[in-house]
Amino acid sequence: QKEVEQDPGPLSVPEGAIVSLNCTYSNSAFQYFMWYRQYSRKGPELLMYTYSSGNKEDGRFTAQVDKSSKYISLFIRDSQPSDSATYLCAMSGDLIDSQGGSEKLVFGKGTKLTVNP
Amino acid sequence: EPEVTQTPSHQVTQMGQEVILRCVPISNHLYFYWYRQILGQKVEFLVSFYNNEISEKSEIFDDQFSVERPDGSNFTLKIRSTKLEDSAMYFCAVTGYSYEQYFGPGTRLTVT
């Protein structure tokens, strides 16, 4: 079983739709969960960052983590054409120390999203 | 505003040549990471670097790869003898006193 699984899509939705993106993982040591947005041939841009289980909301974006099911989600409300990109989930285990060090990120393959006007 | 810039944005090299990819943090960062992404594939961890030492490296990071911070500012990834399969996007990432990793824009390496 792969460590992080993510449906690659592609996913195509009309403008204004609610988008749901998901990842599953197998390593129960993961505690930090991130969603990145990546445009073609660009660096991943951090969207959301959550620790352990629960929800986090930031504008039109909501991240959910269910550690018991090893399942994380990103919801995008009122999707816009500018949201069209590849969305990557990433996760890591414990922090290394109090100086800001985090363990390596393990990424999903990414879901390509297109929002049509 | 990006936390880090990378140079060059695109590097074309012949197989067997050495390449050096550079990462320049905008502000103070303590931890540095290199990742790569082969076209159409996952972003993969290569190495993490703290206090002038490698903290962790993946099995991809073999003897052909090295990292250093030569002047206390730039952070470099060197590939000594490039192979065709080294063609990929290479991303530098940083953390500071927050634990999130912020990625640079990447260097596209093409080995011919």
Side-chain angles (χ1 to χ4, degrees), chain A residues 22 32 34 51 53 55-56 58 60 72 81 84 94 97 101:
Chain A
N22 312 292
Y32 296 87
M34 283 132 281
Y51 169 70
S53 285
N55 293 0
K56 186 174 184 178
D58 184 3
R60 296 184 296 111
I72 69 170
S84 298
D94 265 335
D97 60 25

Side-chain angles (χ1 to χ4, degrees), chain B residues 1 5 16 21 31 34 36 71-72 77 83:
Chain B
E1 186 175 345
T5 62
L21 311 182
Y31 276 85
W34 282 104
R36 79 171 185 189
D71 56 8
L77 174 70
K83 307 181 188 72

Side-chain angles (χ1 to χ4, degrees), chain A residues 7 11 13-14 18 23 32 59 63 66 73 78 89 92 115:
Chain A
D7 186 342
L11 183 61
V13 300
I18 296 174
C23 287
Y32 296 87
D66 182 349
S73 302
D78 188 24
C89 64
S92 68
V115 181

Side-chain angles (χ1 to χ4, degrees), chain A residues 4 36 38 41-44 46 49 88 95-105 107-109, chain B residues 30-31 33 35 37 40 42-43 45 50 56 89 91 95-97 99-105 108:
Chain A
V4 179
Y36 287 85
Q38 186 179 33
R41 294 192 182 275
K42 302 292 185 186
L46 181 65
Y49 173 76
L88 313 176
L95 301 177
I96 295 175
D97 60 25
S98 62
Q99 300 300 309
S102 60
E103 288 189 358
K104 64 181 181 185
L105 295 180
F107 281 83
K109 199 171 180 181
Chain B
L30 301 177
Y31 276 85
Y33 308 79
Y35 292 81
Q37 185 178 31
K42 289 185 179 187
V43 176
F45 169 76
Y50 171 68
E56 185 180 2
M89 288 289 292
F91 298 109
T95 63
Y97 290 95
Y99 300 100
E100 305 97 294
Q101 291 187 25
Y102 293 92
F103 284 71
R108 180 154 67 106

